[in-house]
Amino acid sequence: MAEELTPSTPEEEEQPIKPRKNGLYPGVSDELAENMASGWADTEMRDLQPIAQAPHTAARRAALSERFPGERLVIPSGNLKTRSNDTEYSFRAATEYAYLTGDQSEDGVLVLEPTAKGHRATVYLLPRSNRENGEFWLSGQGELWVGRRHSLTEAEQVLGIPAKDVRELADHLREATGPVRAVRGHDAGIEAALTDKVTAERDAELRVYLSEARAVKDEFEIGELQKACDSTARGFEDVVKILDKAEATSERYIEGTFFLRARVEGNDVGYGSICAAGPHATTLHWVRNDGQVRSGDLLLLDAGVETTTLYTADVTRTLPINGRFNELQRKIYDAVYDAQEAGIAAVRPGAKYRDFHDAAQRVLAERLVEWGLVEGPVERVLELDLQRRWTLHGTGHMLGMDVHDCAAARTEAYVDGTLEPGMCLTVEPGLYFQADDLTVPEEYRGIGVRIEDDILVTADGNRNLSDSLPRQADEIETWMASLKQS
């Protein structure tokens, strides 16, 4: 990649942008600076339309305003993070900020200023890079280096929120009076400006509220989650079609294949893809993806496309790499399938959140007792959680803009709560027999199976958003055979 110049320190006012150490150009001549400052067309975008979620983000801000009257609320997007030396990780806006604005810009900050009638919302953003001082072509974050960003006027049209220059915000916040709450952990500069105005307790209450507010999805969000699941299903099809190439290389061929679908149809993957072949399937979050893919083994693929609006799917299928389950693999797979069926059946409005987990765990415990792997009766196994040696994790979690959405919610509102229409959660039971587990017969060792779908709670039950992917063992085999022939 090319080298850029970097912004100067305040002491270097005579040259707004300083040369990078060891750069090939030691500076900028007056003649070049004058040349670069002129001769550019007007590229301001006019008559822009608001983003599709603008009415929804406005409603969310209104609910937030009602919850915290009379208090200044500060929600940052976050800053770029260095990957190494002078390169940065790809930026992903903080969920709370994107949820309330629809914007995904780095360094953005939403501020709700208290008024007599509620709050006045302003989004603080970086304006277009300056052409008079050369920032647009000399700075590493200038327009000619990283691309054009919206002007403040354009941002107002797109987001439906008044926009101001974020570079003025820190001083404004330092002078602010009255109670302030902020979402922490995303912008150290903003936090420093508020250091004597916020408390950890008040800030935690704001984060909890925003986490719980996302539990029930609106119409726009449900549509985005469906898009994510549909793209994810196509990504799984892509993987099945290239399993022969993965056998010749590694799990990374699978990872790269799914990633291509995520980048073409969405923003990114919603989390690190788990492409776990053979005994790696018994490692719950296997994301190294550097192992061999062997015919006769199972592939546990846990992956999700994140849409351009940052809603992610989270789907798992366990597939026979050669297209056919052997007898033991099918027996274990069928047990997990039956457990998932029981879990999905328990998802309905008014049910306890824990019900689907308990239903799935009971089925798995029954099978483990039936197979002689743990001593019954089943009630004893469940009371002591003895099945957890092989089931390990909870049976699901909330899903949305984060793969583990609503994570900061109060326990009584989440795992001890009640399901409502509009909630979306995963149902993902699994059985994992570690390669070194001497308590099970040798033929079980190294087999891991998980089946996961994204389930929307509806007014009369539930809807499986990822049901375009087959789940039953016979259906899996037929589906894989058809894809390999296409």
Side-chain angles (χ1 to χ4, degrees):
M1 62 186 293
E3 289 185 324
E4 75 270 15
L5 302 183
T6 53
S8 69
T9 60
E11 298 79 39
E12 296 167 316
E13 294 177 357
E14 73 282 354
Q15 186 172 308
I17 312 295
K18 71 175 182 179
R20 173 184 297 199
K21 183 179 182 180
N22 294 318
L24 294 176
Y25 290 107
V28 177
S29 68
D30 292 340
E31 290 78 5
L32 177 59
E34 182 179 355
N35 178 277
M36 290 297 291
S38 62
W40 303 99
D42 177 12
T43 60
E44 181 75 6
M45 299 178 185
R46 297 171 177 86
D47 301 320
L48 293 173
Q49 296 301 310
I51 53 177
Q53 64 266 47
H56 301 282
T57 57
R60 296 166 195 165
R61 293 192 300 274
L64 175 62
S65 172
E66 186 175 351
R67 171 62 180 81
F68 297 104
E71 302 185 58
R72 181 174 283 101
L73 308 174
V74 181
I75 300 97
S77 169
N79 314 127
L80 291 172
K81 291 182 172 58
T82 299
R83 180 181 186 273
S84 177
N85 189 25
D86 57 356
T87 60
E88 292 88 19
Y89 287 104
S90 296
F91 180 75
R92 201 276 195 187
T95 292
E96 297 88 351
Y97 174 86
Y99 177 74
L100 293 167
T101 66
D103 181 53
Q104 298 181 36
S105 305
E106 65 265 24
D107 300 323
V109 185
L110 173 68
V111 178
L112 271 64
E113 302 274 358
T115 67
K117 296 183 179 181
H119 285 83
R120 180 180 62 254
T122 305
V123 61
Y124 288 82
L125 302 166
L126 284 171
R128 291 188 64 185
S129 48
N130 192 312
R131 290 185 179 248
E132 294 182 2
N133 70 0
E135 175 195 358
F136 80 108
W137 71 284
L138 293 172
S139 167
Q141 296 303 315
E143 192 168 295
L144 296 193
W145 288 93
V146 299
R148 185 187 189 280
R149 55 182 172 254
H150 280 309
S151 70
L152 298 180
T153 301
E154 292 168 351
E156 289 184 354
Q157 295 178 61
V158 170
L159 301 177
I161 313 171
K164 293 184 179 180
D165 191 336
V166 71
R167 293 171 298 187
E168 303 169 0
L169 179 58
D171 288 341
H172 172 66
L173 292 177
R174 274 189 283 268
E175 297 171 1
T177 58
V180 181
R181 296 178 191 259
V183 175
R184 300 191 185 196
H186 301 299
D187 192 318
I190 293 300
E191 289 182 31
L194 294 171
T195 186
D196 60 342
K197 306 177 190 301
V198 294
T199 68
E201 181 180 7
R202 284 205 305 265
D203 291 353
E205 288 174 351
L206 173 60
R207 184 163 184 256
V208 167
Y209 168 81
L210 290 172
S211 197
E212 293 180 7
R214 299 198 306 275
V216 175
K217 272 59 181 178
D218 59 36
E219 181 182 355
F220 176 83
E221 294 178 291
I222 293 169
E224 291 301 294
L225 287 167
Q226 185 65 69
K227 287 180 188 177
C229 288
D230 292 345
S231 289
T232 298
R234 289 187 284 272
F236 275 63
E237 292 175 355
D238 296 339
V239 167
V240 171
K241 292 177 181 178
I242 56 83
L243 282 177
D244 57 335
K245 295 182 175 64
E247 288 187 58
T249 52
S250 76
E251 296 162 338
R252 292 200 173 171
Y253 206 99
I254 296 168
E255 179 183 0
T257 298
F258 186 85
F259 180 69
L260 176 61
R261 178 67 65 173
R263 288 293 282 167
V264 168
E265 295 193 0
N267 176 60
D268 206 328
V269 291
Y271 53 95
S273 298
I274 299 167
C275 309
H280 288 162
T282 67
T283 301
L284 298 184
H285 287 170
W286 176 261
V287 293
R288 299 179 202 171
N289 299 334
D290 59 0
Q292 288 186 284
V293 179
R294 301 183 183 89
S295 178
D297 283 347
L298 298 176
L299 167 68
L300 191 158
L301 178 59
D302 183 338
V305 171
E306 179 185 74
T307 65
T308 54
T309 57
L310 307 185
Y311 289 84
T312 186
D314 181 7
V315 178
T316 306
R317 290 294 183 269
T318 303
L319 311 173
I321 291 167
N322 64 11
R324 305 284 294 182
F325 292 100
N326 67 33
E327 184 178 356
L328 180 59
Q329 290 169 347
R330 181 183 283 262
K331 181 176 82 167
I332 296 170
Y333 185 93
D334 286 347
V336 175
Y337 172 80
D338 290 344
Q340 194 200 29
E341 282 283 275
I344 292 174
V347 175
R348 57 184 180 274
K352 295 296 184 184
Y353 178 86
R354 292 180 181 272
D355 287 353
F356 76 94
H357 168 73
D358 293 340
Q361 290 292 299
R362 175 171 290 277
V363 172
L364 296 178
E366 289 171 349
R367 298 303 170 86
L368 292 166
V369 171
E370 177 186 324
W371 298 339
L373 301 183
V374 63
E375 182 182 349
V378 170
E379 295 299 337
R380 168 184 171 272
V381 173
L382 292 170
E383 181 181 357
L384 300 175
D385 286 334
L386 299 180
Q387 81 283 358
R388 288 187 61 186
R389 181 181 179 100
W390 303 283
T391 65
L392 295 174
H393 55 80
T395 308
H397 52 79
M398 292 290 192
L399 184 69
M401 296 186 80
D402 288 328
V403 65
H404 296 150
D405 209 25
C406 311
R410 295 165 298 157
T411 301
E412 58 267 30
Y414 193 157
V415 296
D416 290 339
T418 301
L419 296 180
E420 301 177 39
M423 290 182 171
C424 187
L425 53 94
T426 67
V427 178
E428 51 173 316
L431 282 174
Y432 312 93
F433 300 102
Q434 304 300 320
D436 59 349
D437 188 350
L438 301 182
T439 70
V440 300
E442 185 175 358
E443 60 267 26
Y444 283 75
R445 300 172 196 166
I447 295 178
V449 174
R450 179 163 66 252
I451 312 171
E452 177 180 21
D453 284 273
D454 301 343
I455 310 299
L456 174 70
V457 183
T458 62
D460 57 357
N462 68 67
R463 185 169 95 233
N464 186 342
L465 300 180
S466 48
D467 66 353
S468 62
L469 283 173
R471 292 187 294 127
Q472 287 184 314
D474 288 343
E475 293 174 346
I476 290 281
E477 292 178 345
T478 301
W479 171 70
M480 292 183 70
S482 68
L483 290 172
K484 289 182 177 181
Q485 292 168 3
S486 62

